[in-house]
Amino acid sequence: MTGLSTNAIHAADHLKRVPDVIPPINVSTTFRYSSNPDELVKAADNKDNIDDTPIYSRLAHPGSNSVEALLGPIVKGHSVVYNSGLSAFFAALTLFNPRTIAIGKGYHGCHGIVDIFKRNQGLVQIGLDDDFSVLQKGDIVHLETPVNPDGTYFDISYYAEKAHKYGALLMVDSTFAPPPLQDPFQHGADIVMHSATKYFGGHSDLLAGVLVTQDREIKNQLLNDRVFLGSNIGNLESALLIRSLKTLELRVLQQSRSATRIVEYLSQNIGQFPDLVEIVHGSLQKDSYIATQVTAHTPVFSIKVKSEDFAKRLPSKLNFFEHATSLGGVESLIEWRALSDATVAPDILRISIGVENSDDLLNDLIQALSQ
Ligand SMILES: *Cc1c(COP(=O)(O)O)cnc(C)c1O
């Protein structure tokens, strides 16, 4: 079997339409039908293959087809790409149409979509620690791990078993631990989502999302729905994502190593920093399932500081961390998280480690925390 980076560079080679090493950025929204009358297939009769022959870019286009071909072996399943992570989550709820969803801590935007389904069609929401016996076949358990904004883990196998006992599906939002850090399918996930805006994109210059299934029929149904939801990835974004995927493994492993090292230093030397109360990260979690669930730690962690005032001021003391929302890019970011998620305490900062030199990042954090 070929390795991650080989796949990320070559798995869509068979879809290249010209000899260019880098596929041209394709902006066409519409594609000429075959000139052979015998080859004309009605789109409606071609459902299983809407990704084969481009017709209209809302259905599929050479860029979205290549992204899905590249992602398949990386995410170990059939991938469907969307114009944002939240479009992917919305598409999953639309297809599976659960009556009840079990959802815990996590990205506020996913909760926003759950709220829309509660308002419009009476979706019932329960928590991950609640009794799952109210779940029925077709309901969804949505697990974000590593979780926002902490970068700590939940046990995927445990929730898979708890969901499957009642016929519910386990959906894992694996955005914080993209391949090669974690493979939720190995631990019982039925559907995996990623905000590709984060690590897959990796350069903070595109919005995209992905759903992954190991069932080709579900991929077809998702593709079918996507035609009418109008949420395929844009042509230009797909070109950026194809570029980005080539360095996914290099970037993510470097980011993971740097984050783990920085977390280790700060936690071992926390006494030096009177304003630093706690460092929260998966690498500091002791649960035994973690060793089999992740191969390396997420590059995101959070810190709790002494006061809201210190939390607000810390970002402006840093030289190599931009104060901005989002994560997963090559540039390190820090965010006073209360600005974008009202449920997060005002003394929490979320840190996303980029690919800068890790000594520089650590020294920058040390000088800012020492002021
Ligand atoms: C960013 C994010 C999303 C939403 O993705 P968008 O691409 O911004 O729509 C969903 N889940 C998690 C964990 C995220 O970090």
Side-chain angles (χ1 to χ4, degrees):
M1 237 191 0
T2 41
L4 198 166
S5 288
T6 311
N7 292 325
I9 293 169
H10 291 294
D13 282 355
H14 62 290
L15 295 176
K16 283 187 177 170
R17 291 144 53 100
V18 291
D20 306 18
V21 171
I22 304 303
I25 295 175
N26 184 304
V27 295
S28 194
T29 54
T30 188
F31 300 84
R32 197 167 57 225
Y33 290 122
S34 169
S35 53
N36 177 353
D38 296 331
E39 279 178 12
L40 294 174
V41 183
K42 287 184 194 162
D45 295 335
N46 193 32
K47 281 199 186 94
D48 291 351
N49 290 307
I50 70 170
D51 50 344
D52 280 0
T53 314
I55 297 167
Y56 183 60
S57 65
R58 199 185 67 237
L59 284 61
H61 51 79
S64 65
N65 289 342
S66 295
V67 166
E68 287 170 0
L70 290 169
L71 279 173
I74 299 176
V75 291
K76 311 250 169 62
H78 303 287
S79 71
V80 182
V81 65
Y82 294 89
N83 56 16
S84 73
L86 286 189
S87 284
F89 185 71
F90 184 88
L93 290 201
T94 302
L95 178 66
F96 296 113
N97 197 22
R99 270 180 281 185
T100 303
I101 187 167
I103 184 169
K105 207 174 154 175
Y107 189 66
H108 64 101
C110 294
H111 282 273
I113 291 182
V114 167
D115 289 344
I116 292 173
F117 278 76
K118 283 157 72 177
R119 181 190 71 201
N120 289 357
Q121 50 249 52
L123 176 67
V124 175
Q125 178 184 343
I126 64 169
L128 289 174
D129 296 328
D130 290 346
D131 179 4
F132 278 12
S133 67
V134 296
L135 296 180
Q136 299 176 4
K137 194 168 173 349
D139 285 338
I140 287 193
V141 175
H142 180 75
L143 184 68
E144 182 175 310
T145 182
V147 72
N148 222 318
D150 301 340
T152 51
Y153 304 110
F154 288 99
D155 184 348
I156 299 175
S157 306
Y158 169 79
Y159 287 98
E161 205 171 300
K162 198 172 158 184
H164 293 159
K165 191 166 165 203
Y166 301 102
L169 298 170
L170 179 68
M171 171 152 71
V172 172
D173 183 339
S174 191
T175 299
F176 275 43
L181 305 185
Q182 162 173 292
D183 177 8
F185 288 124
Q186 271 194 18
H187 306 280
D190 300 292
I191 187 137
V192 175
M193 72 164 270
H194 290 271
S195 166
T197 309
K198 314 297 167 52
Y199 289 99
F200 289 169
H203 297 70
S204 305
D205 56 6
L206 68 95
L207 272 182
V210 186
L211 288 179
V212 196
T213 164
Q214 296 196 310
D215 182 339
R216 175 70 217 200
E217 181 49 33
I218 288 177
K219 168 162 176 163
N220 288 350
Q221 291 169 0
L222 289 168
L223 286 175
N224 236 352
D225 278 3
R226 194 185 64 185
V227 170
F228 305 113
L229 293 172
S231 50
N232 190 17
I233 189 172
N235 297 47
L236 296 170
E237 283 77 3
S238 66
L240 289 171
L241 187 49
I242 290 166
R243 174 239 20 210
S244 293
L245 288 173
K246 297 172 205 256
T247 56
L248 175 72
E249 187 174 30
L250 281 174
R251 286 185 279 108
V252 168
L253 290 179
Q254 161 85 15
Q255 287 168 281
S256 169
R257 265 194 306 272
S258 298
T260 307
R261 175 176 172 234
I262 290 167
V263 165
E264 186 181 21
Y265 181 90
L266 292 179
S267 59
Q268 285 177 358
N269 297 281
I270 193 161
Q272 281 178 32
F273 311 107
D275 295 292
L276 183 57
V277 176
E278 193 185 1
I279 299 126
V280 184
H281 186 233
S283 65
L284 303 173
Q285 235 178 312
K286 295 284 174 268
D287 309 77
S288 58
Y289 67 85
I290 294 170
T292 50
Q293 187 167 298
V294 298
T295 55
H297 292 292
T298 177
V300 183
F301 61 95
S302 66
I303 59 174
K304 184 178 160 77
V305 294
K306 240 194 187 123
S307 65
E308 174 172 343
D309 188 59
F310 187 84
K312 279 185 189 168
R313 288 172 198 283
L314 185 66
S316 62
K317 299 174 187 164
L318 288 157
N319 299 311
F320 300 131
F321 293 78
E322 307 256 19
H323 187 198
T325 195
S326 201
L327 57 106
V330 293
E331 46 297 285
S332 293
L333 301 178
I334 186 166
E335 183 185 23
W336 181 48
R337 191 61 188 155
L339 281 176
S340 56
D341 183 348
T343 67
V344 174
D347 52 3
I348 301 289
L349 292 137
R350 186 179 73 185
I351 297 174
S352 169
I353 296 296
V355 301
E356 302 92 336
N357 179 289
S358 69
D359 287 336
D360 294 337
L361 295 177
L362 179 57
N363 289 333
D364 197 22
L365 283 166
I366 292 171
Q367 67 75 22
L369 287 165
S370 308
Q371 278 182 38

